[in-house]
Amino acid sequence: MNKKKYFLTTILALMVSAICFADSEFNYIPVERLPQSAKAFVKEEFPDAVIVSAEREFDAFECMLDNGIEIEFDLKGVWLKIDGYVRTALPASVIPVNINKYVKDNYPEFDVTMIEKGRYGYKVELSNKLDLKFNHHGKFIGKNH
């Protein structure tokens, strides 16, 4: 009986370890399994780009485009974050009008390279690595250096 209990405990511990320490490789999914609205967004906003990889997280999808941009979507396919990693400017069409205007008026020499929707508004990163914060209406509320 002790050997059986030991065996079952060992198996259970291994299963829990595998779940807790699973490599993110197990989260990769075929691009076809992305929500249709996410695929349509990429096609409309990044017509020259191709989705090269997609991952399913607990409450989101992430996809990488061949132009180096990474996009995070919620489970319905609505974008949450678009990141060009400082080197790739985002198209103006993905940036709310008020935010785009503020950036062009105050930082005309820099591009928006990341935008993220948050609980209290938007976070934007410029090509000079400056972070700007805006409320949900696109009104500037602060910056981080």
Side-chain angles (χ1 to χ4, degrees):
M1 187 74 157
N2 282 342
K3 286 184 180 182
K4 185 176 182 181
K5 194 179 223 182
Y6 177 75
F7 178 75
L8 290 175
T9 303
T10 303
I11 295 297
L12 181 61
L14 288 172
M15 289 173 56
V16 169
S17 295
I19 291 169
C20 291
F21 300 107
D23 191 350
S24 64
E25 288 181 30
F26 295 113
N27 297 330
Y28 285 106
I29 62 168
V31 172
E32 297 78 35
R33 289 191 44 212
L34 285 170
Q36 185 58 38
S37 54
K39 292 184 285 188
F41 176 82
V42 171
K43 187 175 184 176
E44 181 177 327
E45 300 298 342
F46 303 94
D48 297 329
V50 174
I51 301 172
V52 294
S53 69
E55 288 184 63
R56 167 74 190 266
E57 300 297 327
F58 176 70
D59 60 352
F61 292 98
E62 289 182 9
C63 65
M64 180 64 74
L65 308 184
D66 64 352
N67 62 4
I69 290 179
E70 183 176 301
I71 307 172
E72 182 178 336
F73 296 97
D74 68 13
L75 295 178
K76 295 180 181 176
V78 176
W79 73 266
L80 301 171
K81 181 178 181 180
I82 307 170
D83 199 343
Y85 293 100
V86 182
R87 63 187 179 275
T88 306
L90 303 183
S93 57
V94 301
I95 304 164
V97 174
N98 292 346
I99 294 174
N100 201 36
K101 181 176 178 357
Y102 180 88
V103 170
K104 293 302 174 201
D105 289 349
N106 293 280
Y107 303 95
E109 65 277 17
F110 301 109
D111 296 313
V112 173
T113 58
M114 189 278 298
I115 186 165
E116 180 176 14
K117 293 179 191 175
R119 184 177 218 169
Y120 301 104
Y122 295 90
K123 178 182 171 186
V124 169
E125 185 176 41
L126 303 182
S127 53
N128 65 347
K129 298 187 181 180
L130 181 66
D131 290 335
L132 305 176
K133 295 182 181 182
F134 299 85
N135 68 16
H136 285 291
H137 302 290
K139 182 179 180 194
F140 177 73
I141 56 176
K143 63 182 173 180
N144 294 336
H145 297 286

